Amino acid sequence: MIDKLSWLAPIYPEVVLLAMACIICLVDLSDTSPRRSRTYLLTSLTLAVVALLTGLNAAGGATVYAFGGLVVSDPMGNWLKCFATIALMVTLVYGRPYAADRGMLRGGEMFTISMFALLGIFVMMSGANFLMIYLGLELLTLSSYALVALRRDNAVASEAAMKYFVLGAMASGFLLYGMSMMYGATGSLDINEVYKAIASRKVDHQVLVFGLVFIVSGLAFKVGAAPFHMWVPDVYQGAPTAVTLLIGAAPELAAFAIIIRLLVEGLLPLAIDWQQMLAVLAVASLLVGNLAAIAQSNLKRMLAFSTIAQMGFLLLGLVAGVVNDNTYNAQYAYSASMFYVISYVLTTLASFGIILLLAREGFESEEIVDLAGLNQRSPLYAGVMAIAMFSLAGLPPLVGFDAKFAVLQALIASGQPIYIGLAVFAVMMSLVGSFYYLRVVKVMYFDEPVTATTVSAPFDVRTVLSINGALILILGILPGGLMTLCAKAIVATLAT
C-alpha cells in the first residue's frame, strides 16, 4: 500500500494540511469554549506535523518533480514551507486570545481559512509551472480577503477587505497577463521549458520584455513594493490585528519563493531587464516606506510602511545576482535575500505579538502612545518589543543587522559602481528608518504610562514571545547556521 502511494511523497505535507483543513471545516468543533480549545489544539498539532514533514523533506536535500513536472520538491521550497508553517503556528498562538475576545473563533473559520491560506503558500512554493503558481496565489489571496473581513460587524475591516480585493484582483490580472505573454512567446507554461526557450535566443525579445513588465508589476504588488504599495497601509490598519499578522508574515516567504521560481528559475536569461526593474522598485520602496513611516502615529500603519521599506532591502539582494551575464554572485545574493526575508518574518512576529498582547476586549492597542511606559508595566514585553524594533532598524548584534549586512555585502561584491551606489543609498535610508523605530523604544522606556493596568498573558503566549525575542538575539550573534542553510538551499535550486 505504501509503495502504491509513493508518488505522493513529494506532497505529503500538502495532503496532511488539506485533509485536516477539510476535517476542521466539515466538523464544527467551535460552538463552545472547550470545543474551540480542541479546534485550536488540533490545528496546532496538524501544523506541527506539517512543519516536521517539510523539515524532513528539506533536510533530505533531494529535488523531486511530480505530477508531470507541475510541482517540485526542493530544499529551498521545503525550508520555506517549514518556516511558513512555524510562522502560522506562532501567529495563531499570539492571535487566539485577541480573536476570542472579538468573536472571531465562532465556527472555526479562522483556523480553517488560515490552513487553506497556508496550503496556497505551499502550492506557490512548489510550483514548477505558471498555472500552478497562479492557482496557489489565488488560493492564498482569496483566503486572505476572507480573513480580513472575518469581523463581519466591523466596518473598517470590511472596507479594508474591499480595498484588498479590488487591488488584489488588478495585481492578479497583471501577473496572469504577463504569464500569458510568456506562454505566447515560448509556447510553454513549464518554468524549465520557458527558461530553455528564452536561453535559445529564438524568441522575440520585445514580447518577452512586455510580458516581463506585467509579471514584475504583479510580483511587486504581492510583496508590497512601491509604487504598488497602496494596499499595504490600509489593509494592515483596517484588518483585525491577528489577521494583519497572518497576511504580513508567512505570505512574505511565499512572495520570495515565487520571485525565485519565476524570475530566477524561469526568466534568468532576462535578468538584465528584470534587475533594472527591481532596482527601481527597491529605491522607491526604501524612499517611500521610510519617509512615510516617520509621519505615522498609528503603530500598525507605521509597521506597514516599515514593511514596504524592508521589502526594498529584500529586492536589493535579488538585484545583485547577475552581473554582465555572469551568475557568479547569484548564490550569495539570493541566499542573502532568503536570509533577509526569514529574519524579517521572525521580527514581525515579535512586534505584532506585543501589539496583540496589549490589546484588550473593546480596546485596540494600535497607537504608538498606547505603548507609553510599557517598561514600567512589564520589562519582559518591553524588552521583546525593543529587540524587535532594534532588529528592524538593523542594529547589531540582532538578526536584522546580519540580514542587512548580507544584502549590502552582495551588492558590493558585484563590483558594479551602480550597485555600490545602491548600497550607500540603502544605508542612508536605514539611518532615516532608525528614527521611527527608536521613537517606539523611547515611548516605552521614557514616557509615563497612560494606564496602571498590568500586562498579563497566557502561558503559551508568554513562552513563545520569550523564545521569539531570544531567537532574534541568538540568530544575530550566531547567524552562520541559518545563512549556510539558505546558501545550500539556493545552490540546490540553481543547480536544477
Side-chain angles (χ1 to χ4, degrees), residues 237 296-303 366-368:
Q237 183 179 1
Q296 307 305 315
S297 60
N298 183 281
L299 186 55
K300 286 167 63 177
R301 199 170 183 87
M302 186 208 81
L303 289 174
E366 293 186 359
E367 300 296 323
I368 294 176

Side-chain angles (χ1 to χ4, degrees), residues 34 50 107 173 227 316 324 346 386 443 448 456 494:
V50 170
L316 286 179
N324 297 329
L346 178 65
V443 167
E448 291 296 322
S456 60
L494 296 179

Side-chain angles (χ1 to χ4, degrees), residues 353-374:
I354 296 297
I355 298 174
L356 286 164
L357 176 63
L358 296 178
R360 302 184 297 277
E361 187 174 0
F363 174 74
E364 301 287 340
S365 180
E366 293 186 359
E367 300 296 323
I368 294 176
V369 295
D370 294 333
L371 298 178
L374 180 59

Side-chain angles (χ1 to χ4, degrees), residues 125-202:
M125 291 175 174
S126 294
N129 183 283
F130 284 158
L131 186 58
M132 288 300 297
I133 289 176
Y134 184 75
L135 289 175
L137 179 64
E138 285 305 292
L139 179 55
L140 170 61
T141 52
L142 290 173
S143 301
S144 300
Y145 303 151
L147 286 168
V148 174
L150 200 57
R151 292 186 67 183
R152 302 173 184 83
D153 58 342
N154 189 294
V156 177
S158 299
E159 179 186 353
M162 184 59 69
K163 290 179 180 177
Y164 195 12
F165 172 74
V166 172
L167 294 174
M170 181 180 69
S172 295
F174 276 16
L175 191 60
L176 191 60
Y177 186 68
M179 290 178 175
S180 70
M181 293 294 294
M182 291 297 170
Y183 173 70
T186 63
S188 177
L189 291 171
D190 183 88
I191 287 176
N192 290 329
E193 294 300 320
V194 169
Y195 173 86
K196 293 175 183 177
I198 297 174
S200 70
R201 308 284 183 179
K202 297 179 181 179

Side-chain angles (χ1 to χ4, degrees), residues 436-481:
Y436 54 84
Y437 295 125
L438 296 179
R439 180 177 60 182
V440 174
V441 178
K442 175 261 180 188
V443 167
M444 290 191 300
Y445 282 87
F446 299 105
D447 287 10
E448 291 296 322
V450 294
T451 177
T453 306
T454 57
V455 181
S456 60
F459 175 76
D460 57 344
V461 176
R462 185 167 62 251
T463 302
V464 174
L465 259 177
S466 301
I467 295 172
N468 198 164
L471 280 175
I472 296 173
L473 178 60
I474 293 170
L475 288 175
I477 298 172
L478 302 170

